[in-house]
Amino acid sequence: MAATKKREARKSLHQPGWITLEGGFAARQCVVQDMSSTGAKVTIDDPNTLPARLRLAFARDARTGRNCEVVWRRGKSFGVKFVR
């Protein structure tokens, strides 16, 4: 039998956030559209320059936030899963 993948409940946020690249450089503003305990949907003006791994935070401080891995991209939106 195939295991059914149940999605985590997502909370709609539409809250400004920051994307920081490896090493804490290049903080870029984004909008966190929604979020769950396992990931988030994010919108950014130029998603084509995003690497596969990044840090997502609600403050510009690179020491805050969570490490993420991009799992899908559609236009200006992309989805991330939180990683350790």
Side-chain angles (χ1 to χ4, degrees):
M1 264 204 256
T4 57
K5 195 173 184 182
K6 186 175 180 185
R7 287 184 80 175
E8 285 283 326
R10 290 193 170 264
K11 182 179 179 208
S12 184
L13 290 179
H14 300 282
Q15 183 173 341
W18 291 93
I19 291 171
T20 309
L21 308 182
E22 292 284 335
F25 300 107
R28 296 168 51 192
Q29 216 163 4
C30 65
V31 176
V32 180
Q33 301 293 337
D34 61 40
M35 192 162 77
S36 71
S37 62
T38 58
K41 177 181 175 185
V42 183
T43 304
I44 191 168
D45 284 337
D46 185 13
N48 298 324
T49 58
L50 285 178
R53 293 179 73 91
L54 51 93
R55 192 163 182 83
L56 178 63
F58 291 108
R60 194 170 183 157
D61 186 350
R63 292 169 297 194
T64 65
R66 298 181 72 174
N67 291 321
C68 303
E69 206 170 88
V70 176
V71 290
W72 60 263
R73 299 171 193 248
R74 275 183 219 107
K76 292 186 175 196
S77 296
F78 62 97
V80 296
K81 70 175 179 179
F82 299 132
V83 296
R84 295 188 188 274

